[in-house]
Every structure is written in structure tokens, then in C-alpha cells.
Amino acid sequence: MYGKGLLTGLGITLREFFRKKATERYPEVRPKLTERFRGGKLALEPEKCIACGLCSLNCPNGSIRLVTVKDEAGKRKLSEYEYDAGACMYCNLCIENCPQKCIRWDKKFDFAGYDRKHLIIDCIAVANAKKAAEREGGAETHE
Amino acid sequence: MPNDDILLRIGASLRELFAGVLPGPDAVDVAMYFVALIACVALIFTNAVILILAERKVAGFMQSRLGPHRLGPYGMFQTVADVIKLLTKEDYRPQGVDKWVWAMAPVVLFVPPVMVYAVLPFGKNLVPVDLNIGIFYFVAVSSVATIAFLMAGWGSNNKYSVIGGMRAVAQMVSYEIPLVFSILGVVMLTGSLQTSVIVEKQSGIWFILLQPVAFVIYLIAAAAETNRMPFDLVEGESEIIAGPFTEYSGMRWAMFFLAEYASLFAVSAIASTLFLGGWHGPSFLPGWVWFLGKTYVMIFVFMWVRWTFPRLRVDQLMALCWKYLIPVSLANILITGIGIFAYRAMGG
């Protein structure tokens, strides 16, 4: 039929008119991140960590720096754990190789700062602060 | 129940007010025409603000976007911000332009749409000037817009502007013919050129059912007359930058925009007058609400078409007009004539 293509076109645009839109209103509405999303900072659970150092050894860019100490029983313990997001290429090797599954991505990807210093994160301090906030407020805090 | 209509009541009380102050009924009539003019201009300006937002929203929605949504709820203040920005821009005149012709063009382009509003039947007894040649007046006045495009194109002293202006003339003069022929079908059915009479005759059946071919031709020709996509060769930005608008900026440029939306509303209103039964509709709403509703539906159709189809080539544009639209509209007139004759012969 002559003009069938025109009607098809009109049908497509009308269908699109009523469909859900692709636009995300970003800062107001946060994107839904997938389970395997790699981004944000490394979130460490210091109690679970056995200080094996596999994450640091596996890191291609050397963006994880950890310092271990031996306690009275001669057991290795974590004393410092720094993650440099500026050097990280989000390859996920650290997380995949962690035998205790004690690191994961926190997926809070918007942490741009004015200095490279801000990209170096003291993961133990972050974990402690989060725990303290949970103990005080009872509710989960976002920062 | 026309007397319950709020607009008619406002009109009547204004008339009484003027009758108290002004000497003689003629002066009152002039004052009432003036009120109608102000109302029409106010309608054009507020409408343009709404339509520009609507256009951007429709465009966005049809492209899986949201359109403007930052300024105010649902981006409602976006056009207001745009207007303020345009008003505060420098009034820049390029050196080589023909000063008067260039400066007059946006104003001249704005005149025909405003004049067309005079015969729009907004409701029963709500026609600003109920001319007995209303539709003819519409055709005559809207064709004046061609001159404004040519003025803008010629006065700009720019090759793209001239090409755009020439295209505007060729296109608008050509498409005037199928436009008039499609209207003629309706005029033959009603035997009148008066817009209010045409609407009155549609109380039983809308003319879109009796004249579907004329309606489609009218849609195509009206889109071409208002230089909207897919017939916006006049300002085809991929070829001639912005055509006649190339050398304009700020509020002068905005006048072109305003005129485009004013004429979009005008052709949509004429479409709802001729084919969609004008102010007729269930009586729980006043007639002018039905009229405006139908007009906005027509405007949506024009926007829908605009954001669906790509632009035609110049030769395709002319071929569509001269090889298809004009013969089909002539055939439509013939068939309408035969139909009327047969109807009369059957003793209808």
C-alpha cells in the first residue's frame, strides 16, 4: 500500500511517546548499578581480613598498600590498608583473589576531588567510621 | 446554554461597561474589536510559550528522552528562561543587510497569523470578527507570509538567506493551491465561507468523515504552509544553515519563532473548524474548551509528524505538490460535486 512506510514511522514514534524514557535524571535519581558493577572505593571488613596480602600482590597497578604486624600469638594482623583509587584500573583481581571475601566495591562512584590525595583511601579508618556511625545512629549512613 | 459561558458573560459585561462610557454603538463596537485583538495577541504570546515547551517535550518523548525537565516542575519554566535570555541579548545588525527590509521582515511575518485569529470561531458567538468570507480571508491573509520570508531572505544579503527565501516562495505559493482546493470540498458541502456557519453545519456529522481525503491534503499542505518538518526546506539547516533566519539573533529571531507557532495554532484551529466540528462537543464543557482541545490535538498531530519524518528534497517537495496533491484534490472536488448532485437527485 502506498504510504505504508509513513504509517509505520508514525506508529513507532507514537509507541516511543508512551514508553518509559531512557533518560536518567542523574544527581537526583541514582542509577541502578548491576551486581557486578566495578567502581567506587574498596570497602574492607578488617575483622574478616587475614592479612594474607594477596590483594596487594595481585594488583597490576600496585594501588593497594597494606602493612601487617604480628600480634602476641604470632598471628599476622592488618595494621594499615590504603587503596589508591587514582592508580586503580578496576580490574577486580583483588576482589576475586581475596580468600576471605572481605573486600568489595562500595559502588559510590562519585568521589571526584581537587587533589590526588583525596583518591588515597584509608580503608580501615573508613570501616571503623562506618561501624561507629552504625552503633550511634542505628541507621545506615551514606557517607 | 450559551449564556452560561464565562467568556460570553465577560464580553457582555465589557460591552455594558463601554456603552456607559463611550458615545454611540459604533464606538462600542470598535472598542470590542480592540478587546478581541488584545485577547488574540495575548493568546498568541501565551500559546507560543506553551507550544515551544510542548514541542520540546513531544520531541523528547518521541526520542526516548524527557525533554526539558530541570527548570521548575516538568521543566515548565524553561521557555520563560529562554525568553528572558533572548530579550536580554544584544540587538545585533550585520553590516551588509538592507536595514529596513531586514528589520521589517520579522514584524511582517508576525502580522498574517495575528490577522487570521480574527476569523477563528472559538465558540458559539465567540468569533472575534465573523466575516461572511472568513475562510477566503484566511487563505488570502496567510499567503502574505510569503513576502515576509522573501524580505528576510533578500534583506539579509546572504546567499543562504536568499536561497531559503526563494525556497519559501516556491513552496508556499505551490502549496497554497492544494490547501485551497482541500478547503473547497468543505465549502461546497456547506455553501458558505463563514467560519461560524461551517461549524454550525457540523452539528450532526464532522466533515472529517465526509471529506477524509480533503483532510489529509489539508494536513500536508498546512504543514508545508507553516514551513514545518517534513517541509522545512526553507530553514533546512543541513543545507542552508537557517535559511532566511541566518542573520537574525535575539528577539528578532524569536519573532520568527513566535510567528511560526502562531501560524501553527492558526492552521490547527482552521483544521478543527473545517473538519473536526469546531466548538461542537458534549455540553458539560463550554464550546471554546472543545475548540481549543481539538486544536491542540491537531497541533499534536503536526508535532508528531514533524518528529517522525525526515525532510523532503526540493524536487520531491514540488513533485508531491504538483503531481499528487493537486490532482488528488481536484478529483476530490469532482467527487464531492457528484456526491452533492447525487444526494440532491435522491431528494435529500
Side-chain angles (χ1 to χ4, degrees):
Chain A
M1 193 186 90
Y2 196 76
K4 199 175 156 198
L6 297 178
L7 294 178
T8 314
L10 286 172
I12 287 169
T13 41
L14 192 65
R15 200 172 62 222
E16 208 58 50
F17 186 84
F18 291 110
R19 262 200 191 154
K20 197 175 171 295
K21 304 295 171 273
T23 308
E24 277 178 350
R25 306 183 59 188
Y26 163 58
E28 293 91 17
V29 182
R30 309 297 295 187
K32 281 204 181 68
L33 301 173
T34 55
E35 200 180 314
R36 293 173 62 191
F37 177 83
R38 309 203 299 248
K41 301 166 211 162
L42 274 188
L44 175 76
E45 292 173 62
E47 316 83 55
K48 273 164 83 177
C49 181
I50 55 171
C52 63
L54 278 178
C55 48
S56 177
L57 289 169
N58 270 300
C59 183
N61 292 358
S63 61
I64 298 174
R65 189 183 70 85
L66 55 83
V67 177
T68 57
V69 287
K70 286 197 174 169
D71 63 359
E72 303 86 50
K75 202 179 170 201
R76 268 203 294 182
K77 234 183 81 185
L78 206 56
S79 77
E80 281 176 45
Y81 194 101
E82 269 183 6
Y83 160 65
D84 183 359
C88 179
M89 63 176 190
Y90 300 95
C91 64
N92 219 28
L93 283 179
C94 49
I95 289 172
E96 277 169 21
N97 283 292
C98 181
Q100 291 297 98
K101 301 278 172 256
C102 65
I103 44 177
R104 57 179 178 80
W105 296 113
D106 71 355
K107 299 187 181 177
K108 288 167 190 159
F109 51 84
D110 46 352
F111 56 103
Y114 287 103
D115 201 299
R116 275 168 192 272
K117 283 203 300 266
H118 299 309
L119 296 176
I120 300 172
I121 289 128
D122 185 348
C123 292
I124 297 177
V126 170
N128 288 339
K130 197 183 167 197
K131 236 183 293 168
E134 268 170 31
R135 236 178 295 135
E136 261 178 46
E140 201 182 328
T141 51
H142 290 286
E143 276 312 307
Chain B
M1 38 171 196
N3 286 328
D4 292 342
D5 197 326
I6 180 161
L7 290 183
L8 282 179
R9 250 185 292 160
I10 291 172
S13 51
L14 268 177
R15 192 171 271 279
E16 269 172 40
L17 185 75
F18 288 139
V21 201
L22 296 171
D26 286 348
V28 174
D29 275 346
V30 169
M32 287 309 288
Y33 285 140
F34 200 68
V35 168
L37 174 70
I38 289 171
C40 285
V41 172
L43 176 70
I44 287 173
F45 277 89
T46 47
N47 219 7
V49 171
I50 296 166
L51 285 184
I52 290 170
L53 181 70
E55 176 105 53
R56 294 181 64 183
K57 277 282 181 192
V58 168
F61 272 45
M62 286 183 173
Q63 296 166 357
S64 195
R65 298 183 287 112
L66 288 172
H69 62 269
R70 291 281 171 197
L71 227 59
Y74 303 103
M76 275 199 275
F77 303 132
Q78 183 65 50
T79 340
V80 179
D82 287 343
V83 169
I84 293 169
K85 175 248 185 185
L86 285 170
L87 281 170
T88 51
K89 273 186 88 161
E90 181 192 356
D91 183 23
Y92 180 76
R93 182 164 58 83
Q95 217 174 19
V97 300
D98 189 336
K99 209 163 104 190
W100 282 104
V101 177
W102 178 82
M104 287 287 286
V107 185
V108 172
L109 184 61
F110 192 60
V111 170
V114 179
M115 288 172 74
V116 167
Y117 279 59
V119 292
L120 296 185
F122 291 96
K124 204 173 166 65
N125 304 325
L126 257 178
V127 193
V129 185
D130 199 3
L131 290 180
N132 55 1
I133 51 159
I135 288 299
F136 181 66
Y137 169 85
F138 157 73
V139 170
V141 161
S142 60
S143 64
V144 175
T146 319
I147 291 200
F149 278 103
L150 191 61
M151 280 169 76
W154 190 257
S156 291
N157 197 12
N158 173 320
K159 58 186 170 189
Y160 301 115
S161 300
V162 176
I163 296 171
M166 290 303 179
R167 281 186 183 186
V169 174
Q171 177 179 330
M172 292 172 84
V173 168
S174 303
Y175 275 85
E176 201 94 308
I177 300 163
L179 186 83
V180 175
F181 282 178
S182 65
I183 292 172
L184 213 52
V186 172
V187 172
M188 283 165 75
L189 287 179
T190 55
S192 171
L193 286 161
Q194 198 166 356
T195 47
S196 57
V197 173
I198 290 173
V199 175
E200 207 60 79
K201 293 248 167 112
Q202 291 180 79
S203 55
I205 184 168
W206 292 2
F207 285 152
I208 186 174
L209 298 172
L210 299 177
Q211 293 280 328
V213 178
F215 179 67
V216 172
I217 293 170
Y218 178 85
L219 271 190
I220 297 170
E225 278 290 301
T226 47
N227 295 312
R228 286 176 65 81
M229 285 234 221
F231 305 106
D232 64 335
L233 293 109
V234 174
E235 44 184 313
E237 50 273 272
S238 53
E239 300 152 13
I240 50 172
I241 312 185
F245 315 145
T246 308
E247 299 290 355
Y248 290 89
S249 65
M251 209 50 217
R252 291 182 200 274
W253 175 81
M255 285 289 279
F256 284 112
F257 227 60
L258 206 61
E260 183 190 328
Y261 283 99
S263 54
L264 173 65
F265 185 88
V267 293
S268 304
I270 292 289
S272 64
T273 306
L274 291 174
F275 298 103
L276 299 179
W279 67 71
H280 289 300
S283 63
F284 56 87
L285 284 174
W288 52 274
V289 174
W290 283 109
F291 179 78
L292 287 180
K294 286 167 185 174
T295 305
Y296 278 111
V297 168
M298 284 306 301
I299 289 172
F300 175 77
V301 170
F302 278 117
M303 287 179 178
W304 181 16
V305 168
R306 169 169 182 181
W307 294 105
T308 303
F309 299 136
R311 186 183 304 130
L312 270 72
R313 225 167 42 218
V314 180
D315 60 314
Q316 290 171 335
L317 179 88
M318 286 300 157
L320 176 68
C321 178
W322 294 101
K323 291 185 190 164
Y324 297 96
L325 292 186
I326 290 179
V328 170
S329 54
L330 278 171
N332 182 57
I333 290 173
L334 179 71
I335 292 167
T336 308
I338 294 172
I340 293 171
F341 186 74
Y343 188 70
R344 283 210 192 116
M346 283 189 300

